[in-house]
């Protein structure tokens, strides 16, 4: 069974072409290169994704 993921770019990206896209997973998030979406994605468990976001925004 293949799950279709709903990838989105950050609103902070504007019209930039060099971006990553993120999709929600039932237990985390998936990240892929917006310029190479067919190259696949990297899945992250919720605990790692939450830790990344906390570090990225400086909490």
């Amino acid at each position: 069974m293949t799950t279709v993921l709903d990838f989105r770019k950050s609103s902070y990206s504007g019209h930039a072409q060099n971006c990553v896209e993120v999709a929600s997973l039932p237990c985390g998030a998936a990240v892929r290169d917006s310029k190479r979406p067919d190259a696949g994605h990297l899945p992250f468990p919720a605990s790692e994704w939450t830790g990344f976001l906390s570090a990225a925004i400086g909490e």
Side-chain angles (χ1 to χ4, degrees), residues 8-50:
R8 63 200 179 281
K9 285 197 302 185
S10 169
S11 59
Y12 291 104
S13 299
H15 297 302
Q17 297 299 315
N18 299 326
C19 304
V20 295
E21 297 176 323
V22 178
S24 295
L25 296 174
C27 296
V31 179
R32 72 179 182 186
D33 182 347
S34 65
K35 291 171 60 177
R36 299 184 59 214
D38 295 333
H41 63 272
L42 298 172
F44 293 93
S47 60
E48 290 180 13
W49 186 244
T50 301

